[in-house]
Amino acid sequence: MKVSELSTPFYVVHEDRIRRNLALIDRVKREAGVNIIMAFKANALWKTFPIVREYCRDSTASSLNEMMLGREFLGGDVHTYCPAYTPETIMSFLEGSSHLTFNSISQWLRFRDVVEKWNSTPGNRHVSPGLRVNPQCSVIETDIYNPALPGSRFGVTADVIGDSLPEGIEGLHFHQLCESSSYDLENVLSAFEDQFGKYLKQVKWVNMGGGHLMTREGYDVDHLIRLLKSFKQRYPWLEVILEPGSAFMWRTGDLVVSVVDVVENQGVKTAIIDASFACHMPDTLEMPYMPAITESVDHDSGKPTYRMGGNSCLSGDFKGEWTFDRELQIGDRLTFEDMNHYTTVKTTMFNGISHPDIVLVEADGNARVLRHFTYDDYKSRMS
């Protein structure tokens, strides 16, 4: 089947683009001598994981569902971080994880005996406990994605730790980036070493978290490799781990929609589409940002310009404006670019609006529908 034969709306992901990203990530992993693992919070389309598994089998999880997804569909180690474990969840996390990072010293002290008992039980795989730390180095402009804001609930500061790490901690984890550059990482690493370098002889691994957008055009990959190799030369006993989310699926997929109506009010033209920003592209409202539309052109006052309106009853379910070479007509198809990472995992069925189909374009150009959603999916969310 060809993409042009499919009914809108649908998310489409491209195997060749996924492989392009994975090849670059694999290069960084090999040349820098680090472990780069996949974060499900950015993408959980498990029917594409057979492709990912050829390059990467380890993953990071922040919930039991993500942990189980990694175990089932990638099959490698699962590095788990959760802001707070509970007595009801801790044993399940131990059973499914290879590494378990604690957000606070109080969390570690609460569950240290449970972890140590697990690790001392014959037949159990050793689970390596770590502590998330906060270097208080802010390189992110959008507050909703910034874990280094004053008063952050994420990680422990060096003044709280004191002279030595709590007994039993084997690794340190920090996460300060969001779609950031290698030079942002360089700044964070400097702060990390200044504040936490004295603890590094006590641990076996350092997890540098996510946000390393190494697959973005213009990202200085060679600088990242040099930076990581230099860190490893200073601390040769440490295993270094990165867990980017966006980088794995950056620009691998789009959302294809159709214009279903055009309305005009007080001189503003709005093209109503058979999808929703609130339901299907929530980051465009949360971040916020303007997604690219393939069919649009640079703004020209002489050309037709439109808002795009989602097909929900939420007043704020619109974005704009985009300019086109001609007037939009009902039935025109539009392509919202880069709508795979942090998009498919955030969709909702607000207003009863169904999810778009999910389509994989295989390397040979064949389009295969991975999932079509129905009323039963909506009903099951409320049951």
Side-chain angles (χ1 to χ4, degrees):
M1 182 182 295
K2 297 180 180 179
V3 171
S4 60
E5 298 172 342
L6 299 170
S7 299
T8 61
F10 58 87
Y11 297 107
V12 55
V13 293
H14 298 267
E15 179 180 353
D16 59 344
R17 300 183 194 178
I18 295 174
R19 290 188 182 277
R20 175 199 63 203
N21 286 353
L22 291 170
L24 187 146
I25 290 169
D26 187 59
R27 175 200 158 197
V28 174
K29 179 178 178 178
R30 289 183 288 103
E31 294 187 16
V34 300
N35 191 14
I36 302 180
I37 64 181
M38 184 177 181
F40 296 137
K41 67 180 181 179
N43 182 275
L45 294 181
W46 53 267
K47 288 185 178 180
T48 66
F49 288 1
I51 302 169
V52 176
R53 196 165 53 234
E54 294 179 31
Y55 303 80
C56 172
R57 298 181 68 87
D58 296 344
S59 60
T60 176
S62 292
S63 65
L64 288 175
N65 286 335
E66 287 186 340
M67 182 196 74
M68 290 187 289
L69 198 71
R71 296 267 294 180
E72 182 175 357
F73 292 104
L74 289 185
D77 288 344
V78 179
H79 300 237
T80 297
Y81 160 78
C82 188
Y85 304 103
T86 67
E88 291 75 27
T89 63
I90 188 65
M91 289 305 299
S92 295
F93 278 118
L94 284 169
E95 290 168 2
S97 304
S98 59
H99 299 65
L100 200 62
T101 295
F102 292 83
N103 187 58
S104 65
I105 293 176
S106 61
Q107 273 270 298
W108 167 239
L109 295 179
R110 183 181 186 188
F111 294 111
R112 180 176 61 187
D113 290 347
V114 179
V115 175
E116 291 178 348
K117 181 178 180 180
W118 170 272
N119 283 337
S120 64
T121 301
N124 286 348
R125 181 175 68 167
H126 180 81
V127 176
S128 185
L131 183 68
R132 179 165 177 170
V133 296
N134 184 354
Q136 303 179 82
C137 178
S138 180
V139 295
I140 302 171
E141 295 181 358
T142 305
D143 285 352
I144 194 174
Y145 295 113
N146 188 355
L149 288 174
S152 172
R153 74 185 194 279
F154 293 130
V156 183
T157 54
D159 61 305
V160 172
I161 296 174
D163 294 332
S164 181
L165 289 172
E167 183 180 352
I169 291 295
E170 297 181 357
L172 295 179
H173 171 115
F174 65 84
H175 184 137
Q176 307 294 114
L177 306 179
C178 177
E179 297 186 355
S180 303
S181 72
S182 60
Y183 298 94
D184 291 326
L185 175 60
E186 188 171 33
N187 291 333
V188 170
L189 266 182
S190 177
F192 171 74
E193 289 185 71
D194 285 346
Q195 298 169 45
F196 300 96
K198 62 184 178 182
Y199 308 122
L200 293 181
K201 289 186 177 179
Q202 302 176 49
V203 297
K204 301 175 181 179
W205 53 267
V206 167
N207 186 326
M208 298 183 182
H212 314 269
L213 194 45
M214 61 190 75
T215 52
R216 176 165 36 193
E217 184 178 357
Y219 187 100
D220 195 335
V221 176
D222 292 331
H223 177 255
L224 173 64
I225 293 171
R226 292 195 302 271
L227 187 66
L228 295 172
K229 290 175 70 174
S230 176
F231 183 85
K232 284 181 64 65
Q233 287 171 358
R234 293 193 297 278
Y235 311 101
W237 63 90
L238 290 178
E239 178 191 10
V240 175
I241 305 153
L242 283 72
E243 49 181 43
S246 298
F248 275 79
M249 296 296 165
W250 182 256
R251 298 198 65 81
T252 60
D254 309 307
L255 174 58
V256 182
V257 305
S258 292
V259 176
V260 292
D261 196 12
V262 177
V263 299
E264 185 172 355
N265 193 356
Q266 297 176 311
V268 176
K269 291 183 178 180
T270 302
I272 308 296
I273 58 175
D274 57 357
S276 162
F277 293 96
C279 296
H280 308 139
M281 299 174 275
D283 262 7
T284 65
L285 301 180
E286 292 176 4
M287 187 68 170
Y289 74 96
M290 278 280 288
I293 295 180
T294 304
E295 295 78 10
S296 67
V297 297
D298 292 337
H299 180 69
D300 184 322
S301 59
K303 293 183 177 180
T305 298
Y306 300 82
R307 285 179 179 173
M308 295 293 142
N311 201 13
S312 81
C313 295
L314 177 68
S315 297
D317 190 2
F318 70 89
K319 293 288 290 187
E321 297 169 324
W322 288 268
T323 300
F324 298 85
D325 275 330
R326 60 172 179 81
E327 297 282 350
L328 292 180
Q329 304 295 321
I330 293 174
D332 284 345
R333 288 197 174 198
L334 301 176
T335 307
F336 287 88
E337 298 179 3
D338 201 17
M339 289 293 157
N340 188 9
H341 73 283
Y342 279 109
T343 299
T344 52
V345 292
K346 285 190 170 186
T347 57
T348 74
M349 285 188 172
F350 164 72
N351 231 169
I353 295 177
S354 190
H355 298 319
D357 289 350
I358 299 174
V359 177
L360 173 67
V361 176
E362 297 169 325
D364 61 5
N366 180 61
R368 178 161 57 94
V369 177
L370 301 181
R371 181 69 190 273
H372 173 71
F373 296 90
T374 67
Y375 165 69
D376 287 337
D377 296 298
Y378 172 64
K379 184 174 68 173
S380 68
R381 294 171 69 92
M382 299 297 107
S383 61

